[in-house]
Amino acid sequence: MKLTLRVWRQTGPQARGDFVTYQVDGANEEMSFVELLDLLNERLIAQSSEPIAFESDCREGICGACGLMINGQAHGPQRGTATCQLHLRRFQDGDEIVVEPFRSAGFPLVKDLVVDRSALDRIVQSGGYITAPTGSAPDANLIPVPKDDADRAMDAAACIGCGACVAACPNGAGQLFTAAKLAHLNLLPQGQPERARRTVAMVDTMEEYFGSCTNHQECEAACPKEIGIDFIAMLNRDYRKARRRR
Ligand code: SF4
Ligand code: FES
C-alpha cells in the first residue's frame, strides 16, 4: 500500500504547529495504525529527521495511550476500536489520511501528536476509589451482587481512559469518562458508603477542566469501548441526589 499522511507537527506547547505531508509506501493492510507511524518514524530516523512524537503502550486496546484524530474522527473510522487496533485494511491504497492529536482545552498539547491527559487522572484522584481496608481478596461470592448491576459495572469498568470522548465532543466535555469511572464503583455494594462524596468530588473536579454535556452523543460514537451515554444520566441523577443530601 502507498499512503499519504498529513501529520500535525508541533515542536512544543508554545510553538506554532502545522501539517507536514509524508508519502509512505511499503505499508500493508495487516499493519495497525501505530505500526504505520512506526514505519514512517524508522524512515525519518534513517534520514536523520525528527521522528513524530505519539503515544502507545499495550497496542491491544487496553491502556488508552494511543488516541489520535484520524481523518477528523477520534480513533479513526471503525467503531469500538482504539487507534492501535485500527488496521490499514480500513483504508484504500493511495488514500490521504489526516492525523492530528486529540484537541481539547482540557488536553494541552505536549508535542506533535502527544497531549497531556492528566486532567483525567485528577478526576480519578479526587474520588475514583474505595477507602475501606479490604484485607486479602475475599471469596468471589461473599458479597452478593445482582447480575444486572455486575454486568453494568463491568461495562463501565471497560473505560480505558483514552480521552476520545472529550476529543470528539464539541464542548470538550468529560462526562462520559467521569460517568464510567463513577458507575463502576457506584453500582456495586462496596461503592455505596462513599457514593455521594465520590460523586460530588469527581464531578466538581471534572468541571474544573472540561466543558458541559449538551447531549451531542459524539462521545458514545467515538468510545473504543462503546460505553453508553446512559451512564451520564446515572451521573446526573447521583450528582443531584448527593447535592440535595448535602
Ligand atoms: S469513556 Fe470511552 S472514550 Fe471516554 S475515556 Fe473511557 S474508553 Fe475512552
Ligand atoms: S496502545 Fe494501549 S490502547 Fe492503544
Side-chain angles (χ1 to χ4, degrees):
M1 288 177 94
K2 184 171 181 180
L3 298 165
T4 303
L5 295 187
R6 294 188 64 221
V7 182
W8 185 260
R9 303 296 315 257
Q10 187 170 335
T11 54
Q14 309 307 328
R16 188 186 161 85
D18 206 350
F19 286 102
V20 178
T21 302
Y22 301 96
Q23 307 290 340
V24 189
D25 51 16
N28 68 66
E29 58 183 21
E30 277 82 38
M31 279 182 174
S32 71
F33 206 84
V34 291
E35 286 169 338
L36 174 68
L37 294 177
D38 288 341
L39 180 69
L40 174 55
N41 272 348
E42 281 167 17
R43 293 181 185 171
L44 290 175
I45 291 165
Q47 296 161 9
S48 302
S49 300
E50 181 76 11
I52 298 160
F54 68 97
E55 282 190 278
S56 75
D57 190 357
C58 70
R59 299 195 170 201
E60 53 184 349
I62 295 171
C63 73
C66 62
L68 297 173
M69 293 303 276
I70 300 169
N71 285 342
Q73 287 180 281
H75 291 300
Q78 187 167 314
R79 271 188 98 107
T81 306
T83 300
C84 59
Q85 298 174 298
L86 178 67
H87 288 90
L88 299 188
R89 65 181 78 99
R90 291 289 306 184
F91 301 92
Q92 304 290 323
D93 189 27
D95 273 359
E96 179 174 301
I97 306 170
V98 179
V99 190
E100 295 171 83
F102 276 179
R103 295 190 193 278
S104 168
F107 293 160
L109 192 133
V110 177
K111 185 179 178 184
D112 294 339
L113 304 175
V114 178
V115 295
D116 176 358
R117 286 171 297 155
S118 57
L120 299 180
D121 299 331
R122 286 195 278 279
I123 294 172
V124 174
Q125 281 165 358
S126 69
Y129 47 78
I130 286 168
T131 57
T134 53
S136 56
D139 286 346
N141 59 357
L142 210 59
I143 302 173
V145 180
K147 174 85 168 74
D148 285 351
D149 289 349
D151 286 350
R152 281 185 42 78
M154 283 301 287
D155 288 348
C159 170
I160 55 174
C162 62
C165 45
V166 176
C169 176
N171 303 338
Q175 250 87 358
L176 192 64
F177 167 82
T178 310
K181 294 298 175 199
L182 276 169
H184 82 102
L185 298 172
N186 284 359
L187 281 163
L188 296 177
Q190 299 91 328
Q192 299 315 306
E194 292 168 295
R195 184 169 182 162
R197 185 203 60 77
R198 170 186 309 117
T199 303
V200 170
M202 290 177 70
V203 172
D204 288 353
T205 306
M206 172 191 80
E207 287 176 344
E208 285 175 35
Y209 298 97
F210 299 109
S212 293
C213 173
T214 49
N215 287 323
H216 287 274
Q217 300 187 19
E218 294 290 336
C219 53
E220 184 181 87
C223 176
K225 298 298 158 187
E226 302 188 295
I227 291 170
I229 59 164
D230 50 328
F231 285 116
I232 299 179
M234 183 180 159
L235 172 150
N236 289 334
R237 281 195 301 273
D238 275 7
Y239 188 70
R240 273 199 301 273
K241 267 193 229 162
R243 277 278 172 216
R244 266 205 303 271
R245 200 181 302 169
R246 286 186 161 205

